[in-house]
Amino acid sequence: MTKSGIIAGAIAALLIGGGAAAFAIAWRPAISAIDPPPPQSFDPALVKRGRELAAIGNCSDCHTVRGGKDFAGGLPVPTPFGTVYSSNITPDADTGIGRWPEAAFRRAMRSGVNRDGQHLYPTFPYDHFTNVTDEDDQALYAYLMTREPVHAPARDNQLRFPLDQRFVIAGWKLLFLHRGTYRPDSSQSAKWNRGAYLVEGLAHCGSCHTPRNALGAERPDARFAGGDADNWDAYAINSQSPAPVPWDAQALSIYLRQGWQSDHGTARGPMAEVVSNLSQVKESDVHAIATYMADVFGVPSPERKRQGDEVLAQAKSPSPVALVDVSGAAIYAAACASCHESNRPLPYGGVNLALSTPISGPDPRNAANIVLSGVRAVEGERSPIMPGFASSMTDDQIVALLNYLRSRFSNQPAWTGVEKTVADARRTQTVFLQTSPGPQSAPADPAQRDKP
């Protein structure tokens, strides 16, 4: 054989070997379909437990399009690489998971592979769900398989090549999917360990609150250092938190349970959905999450504690009116002061804005979203309410208001790019309203939904 023939043969062998290796890495077998199990075949106690776990995982909000049927999928999830649509996880036999055996469900949770053997995009946070126990996966499966079946075919994802090819995700998993990484810490309390298990697993808090690298994976060197979620700033929830008053376990527990806390304000944006779901779970689990996260925040330094005490003291006495921006001050006096300076406690009065994280946060995005859309009352609950000003204020007026709020109620430097932030926030809100069929339908009574 000639030298060129030997080289060509070696290259062909390498290509064949590389292709075989890539196939072995990417290929996953299909799992045989089953007949949808009857709802009454599941233990009601297991279903009830699954409902609470699904609430902790915020499953309904990711798998339910606004105005659509529960868990029927179709929710667009924007990413830097395109848009991924959530899947139908109702027990519909044709378009949902009705023909999935429990083993297929567990594989999807642990490895991000569906029943047919296709790799799932990591917008489904299986990099966290891989930490969920077999027992909890079983309860989640029982809960989902007893929901109302909904015929809702999957929408085509809008991803650019080559990311529209699912086998590419196998390479992402080799780099970033670390299975079974959660280990209980014997030096910590049972409550702390329960909170760690939930936060690092089903609750997947890091998915929003941790920045991501160029390939869309969470950065392990910046855990809980802040991220993005649906055009909202997901604040740092560690020692870098921009909250004017440091968080502790008690404040976190109240906030996560009822959606507002007197020293920190009200949950808005995606976080409002999270706390709405957490209001349905056992208080002990919420306390456990708060205990673990308080440890992640860490004990505030003496200087940080002193600053927080000063903010609290100032919040209890009238603050002087700053005239840095006369137009902003006038808008605040006309539209905001009657609630935010009423001295009525939450939720009946507005939060003292000196305690507001959106005003002290690193950018004005969340504050702009709140001014535009307001805070809607929760039906049947004692909850904060605030009108939105999208239709009654121009962009220039909202910019002036935000600059005034920052200068008066925060000791942080002035924001930059406020004009662009407000324009982007209004455009995003307009697109959302135009593409949404209407308000989310009220969920059925949980007690009734859990009946097999």
Side-chain angles (χ1 to χ4, degrees):
M1 182 179 290
T2 65
K3 183 178 180 180
S4 59
I6 294 173
I7 293 174
I11 292 175
L14 286 173
L15 290 174
I16 293 171
F23 177 79
I25 290 171
W27 180 80
R28 295 293 183 274
I31 295 178
S32 298
I34 61 171
D35 292 330
Q40 60 268 26
S41 66
F42 294 96
D43 179 3
L46 190 66
V47 172
K48 180 180 179 181
R49 182 162 158 244
R51 177 176 67 84
E52 290 194 350
L53 293 169
I56 291 171
N58 206 36
C59 304
S60 62
D61 288 304
C62 288
H63 288 274
T64 306
V65 72
R66 188 171 182 261
K69 295 291 186 69
D70 287 349
F71 302 110
L75 185 77
V77 182
T79 77
F81 315 104
T83 300
V84 178
Y85 292 90
S86 64
S87 57
N88 181 350
I89 56 172
T90 74
D92 180 68
D94 298 320
T95 63
I97 62 171
R99 296 190 180 278
W100 287 35
E102 188 179 324
F105 179 80
R106 186 179 297 114
R107 184 173 72 171
M109 293 286 286
R110 296 279 174 80
S111 302
V113 177
N114 68 12
R115 189 189 67 77
D116 293 331
Q118 294 179 319
H119 291 278
L120 300 173
Y121 289 99
T123 47
F124 177 59
Y126 46 80
D127 52 339
H128 287 271
F129 294 164
T130 189
N131 294 316
V132 179
T133 64
D134 288 349
E135 294 78 12
D136 283 351
D137 277 340
Q138 182 183 36
L140 280 166
Y141 178 76
Y143 174 68
L144 292 173
M145 295 299 276
T146 53
R147 301 306 90 202
E148 176 189 356
V150 179
H151 185 83
R155 296 185 61 177
D156 291 334
N157 297 320
Q158 299 171 359
L159 296 166
R160 58 178 179 265
F161 183 84
L163 296 177
D164 58 345
Q165 305 300 307
R166 288 183 181 269
F167 69 85
V168 174
I169 303 304
W172 187 94
K173 291 177 181 178
L174 280 177
L175 295 172
F176 304 116
L177 180 59
H178 308 292
R179 297 178 177 85
T181 55
Y182 173 74
R183 295 288 186 276
D185 186 341
S186 59
S187 68
Q188 297 287 351
S189 68
K191 181 186 291 186
W192 186 97
N193 274 290
R194 175 64 175 170
Y197 165 72
L198 292 174
V199 168
E200 304 295 348
L202 268 180
H204 61 283
C205 303
S207 290
C208 291
H209 289 279
T210 296
R212 295 178 179 270
N213 62 23
L215 296 178
E218 294 176 32
R219 289 172 45 196
D221 62 333
R223 290 180 67 247
F224 302 116
D228 295 290
D230 298 340
N231 300 302
W232 289 75
D233 182 12
Y235 298 121
I237 50 175
N238 56 17
S239 60
Q240 303 172 42
S241 166
V245 177
W247 287 94
D248 58 27
Q250 182 180 9
L252 281 167
S253 186
I254 294 171
Y255 176 84
L256 292 173
R257 186 70 180 173
Q258 66 183 21
W260 54 272
Q261 201 275 338
S262 58
D263 293 345
H264 293 277
T266 304
R268 298 312 313 143
M271 195 63 200
E273 299 171 350
V274 171
V275 297
S276 176
N277 279 309
L278 289 178
S279 69
Q280 305 172 40
V281 308
K282 295 182 295 188
E283 286 193 30
S284 60
D285 278 343
V286 177
H287 292 330
I289 292 172
T291 298
Y292 175 70
M293 287 311 306
D295 192 45
V296 172
F297 275 99
V299 177
S301 66
E303 175 63 16
R304 178 83 166 95
K305 186 176 185 308
R306 182 190 63 78
Q307 292 173 350
D309 291 342
E310 287 181 355
V311 170
L312 285 173
Q314 292 170 2
K316 294 177 181 178
S317 59
S319 55
V321 176
L323 295 178
V324 176
D325 185 328
V326 176
S327 61
I331 294 169
Y332 172 78
C336 315
S338 60
C339 284
H340 287 283
E341 297 191 19
S342 66
N343 293 321
R344 294 192 300 270
L346 287 173
Y348 303 109
V351 64
N352 186 302
L353 293 173
L355 304 174
S356 171
T357 302
I359 302 302
S360 295
D363 71 55
R365 184 171 22 162
N366 290 4
N369 285 334
I370 293 170
V371 171
L372 283 165
S373 59
V375 178
R376 290 183 295 177
V378 178
E379 184 177 355
E381 295 183 17
R382 186 181 69 163
S383 62
I385 184 171
M386 171 184 151
F389 295 97
S391 60
S392 57
M393 288 189 191
T394 66
D395 284 7
D396 288 343
Q397 289 173 323
I398 294 177
V399 169
L401 174 62
L402 293 177
N403 286 331
Y404 171 75
L405 297 177
R406 179 74 163 183
S407 65
R408 178 179 174 187
F409 294 104
S410 169
N411 58 6
Q412 301 298 314
W415 284 314
T416 59
V418 181
E419 294 81 0
K420 183 178 185 305
T421 298
V422 171
D424 289 346
R426 188 185 291 276
R427 181 168 55 252
T428 299
Q429 184 188 69
T430 300
V431 170
F432 174 76
L433 291 175
Q434 289 175 345
T435 57
S436 298
Q440 178 71 37
S441 57
D445 176 34
Q448 295 299 319
R449 289 193 302 186
D450 289 340
K451 290 182 179 179

